[in-house]
Amino acid sequence: MRIKEEDGNLIIEGVECLNLDLSLDCGQAFRWKKDADGFWYGVAFGTPLYIKQDGSTVVMRDTDLDTYEKVWKNYFDFDRDYVEICDRLKRDSLIAPTVDEYYGIRILNQESFEALFSFVISQQNNIKRIKGIIDRLCTQYGERLSCGLYTFPTAERLSKLSVEDFEALGTGYRARYLERLAKAVACGELDLGAIKTLELEQARKALLDIYGVGIKVANCALLFGFGFYDAFPVDVWMKRVMEYYPNGLPECFDGIGGIAQQYLFHWARENNIG
DNA sequence: GTCCAGGCATGCA
DNA sequence: TGCATGCATGGA
């Protein structure tokens, strides 16, 4: 992989095992949109980005090496060897054709608070609606950047909202979960950074203590916002997939179950199984 | 009109 | 411990 700055843009060449379309729009992150020129745009860690892929070349518009090192390298998981990971997953003959078909799905390492908050919203909800709610949440309570995009709101800002404010966003019965979660993080009662340093089981236990967080939301947050690649979220789609694994998950998923899960989740939805 | 979506809290056995 | 039920909303 070679990276160079050129006319204020960042060009990355020789990228392996990345499918930007799938990674940004497979239900793990809810804020990315694609413009008419084929650039995905969004904000993560308070930083805006316009990004486009052409084969093994990736262009990041209006950014620099420093920002790449600080934000995007980790966000897009560029230091992880996904070629090796996919080879390993494919030892399981069931997932092998799925990995080939959707080759290049990566885990996006999102902010802990954004991931946790977003997946509380996601419960018993569909992806289209989730995106709409989060869009309203960000434009109303996030910070407007000079490019016109909005950051994901901070827990401090959201801690000022009432249950009714959250209901007004269309969050339905989840409003009371969100209201309590924002306040717990803002006042320090809930330390997400500390949870990130725990072992998987302990981290999961800590998230399960949160009002409105069950096993599915906990595992999504752990996988997408806390760096636990072995967290394996099972939602209604994955429950159907699990019927294909009556004896449990294969050994080759160990340590990277979350990545396998993303391929299987996408496969299930694309083929409307069940 | 019914069913469903990246589920969870609650009450009851 | 496990299972049934209620829950907000909008698209199919």
Side-chain angles (χ1 to χ4, degrees):
Chain A
M1 218 172 76
R2 301 167 301 281
I3 307 175
K4 59 183 178 186
E5 288 178 338
E6 197 175 285
D7 305 325
N9 300 324
L10 211 60
I11 317 280
I12 310 176
E13 293 172 323
V15 178
E16 291 185 293
C17 196
L18 169 68
N19 184 321
L20 207 52
D21 289 344
L22 290 181
S23 298
L24 293 174
D25 197 24
C26 66
Q28 58 173 320
F30 302 103
R31 299 204 56 205
W32 293 95
K33 298 177 184 173
K34 200 176 193 179
D35 70 14
D37 296 326
F39 276 87
W40 287 96
Y41 61 98
V43 180
F45 293 87
T47 309
L49 179 69
Y50 283 78
I51 182 170
K52 183 177 185 174
Q53 176 178 24
D54 182 12
S56 62
T57 300
V58 170
V59 178
M60 296 184 174
R61 216 164 66 193
D62 302 328
T63 190
D64 52 39
L65 264 173
D66 189 46
T67 308
Y68 171 81
E69 289 292 334
K70 281 183 183 154
V71 179
W72 304 118
K73 184 166 79 174
N74 178 250
Y75 187 85
F76 289 102
D77 223 6
F78 276 129
D79 276 345
R80 197 171 306 272
D81 188 348
Y82 275 82
V83 174
E84 191 271 335
I85 286 171
C86 286
D87 282 346
R88 189 142 76 84
L89 292 179
K90 285 169 65 176
R91 289 180 209 160
D92 172 49
S93 59
L94 250 166
I95 203 176
T98 302
V99 170
D100 284 335
E101 186 172 2
Y102 306 121
Y103 193 68
I105 296 180
R106 283 170 178 253
I107 299 297
L108 303 173
N109 289 301
Q110 305 174 56
E111 275 186 275
S112 302
F113 179 67
E114 175 173 342
L116 180 57
F117 210 80
S118 297
F119 278 96
V120 169
I121 292 171
S122 82
Q123 64 176 264
Q124 190 62 23
N125 213 334
N126 62 66
I127 291 177
K128 186 179 162 72
R129 273 198 80 234
I130 297 162
K131 285 180 177 176
I133 291 167
I134 292 176
D135 197 57
R136 293 191 287 279
L137 178 80
C138 294
T139 47
Q140 289 184 38
Y141 302 110
E143 179 195 345
R144 186 188 163 90
L145 302 174
S146 58
C147 61
L149 302 179
Y150 290 83
T151 63
F152 194 89
T154 62
E156 286 69 28
R157 178 71 187 90
L158 295 178
S159 71
K160 312 284 192 248
L161 306 192
S162 64
V163 173
E164 290 71 26
D165 292 329
F166 284 114
E167 284 175 344
L169 294 168
T171 58
Y173 72 91
R174 312 161 195 82
R176 59 186 191 275
Y177 303 154
L178 300 170
E179 189 258 353
R180 280 174 59 168
L181 175 56
K183 285 182 169 62
V185 173
C187 78
E189 174 192 335
L190 186 59
D191 184 348
L192 302 183
I195 291 176
K196 217 168 178 176
T197 68
L198 301 174
E199 295 295 312
L200 174 59
E201 291 309 322
Q202 297 306 314
R204 183 182 285 129
K205 199 173 289 181
L207 293 184
L208 287 172
D209 280 341
I210 301 168
Y211 181 56
V213 174
I215 188 65
K216 154 67 174 59
V217 170
N219 280 324
C220 279
L222 289 168
L223 177 58
F224 304 127
F226 291 79
F228 289 97
Y229 286 78
D230 211 14
F232 193 89
V234 178
D235 70 329
V236 293
W237 292 103
M238 288 305 297
K239 281 195 180 105
R240 298 161 194 162
V241 171
M242 293 310 286
E243 292 181 21
Y244 293 78
Y245 291 98
N247 302 315
L249 299 176
E251 203 175 313
C252 66
F253 286 12
D254 286 356
I256 50 175
I259 299 173
Q261 191 273 358
Q262 277 305 98
Y263 278 100
L264 295 169
F265 172 72
H266 186 70
W267 170 77
R269 279 170 39 87
E270 282 294 301
N271 295 282
N272 201 20
I273 69 157

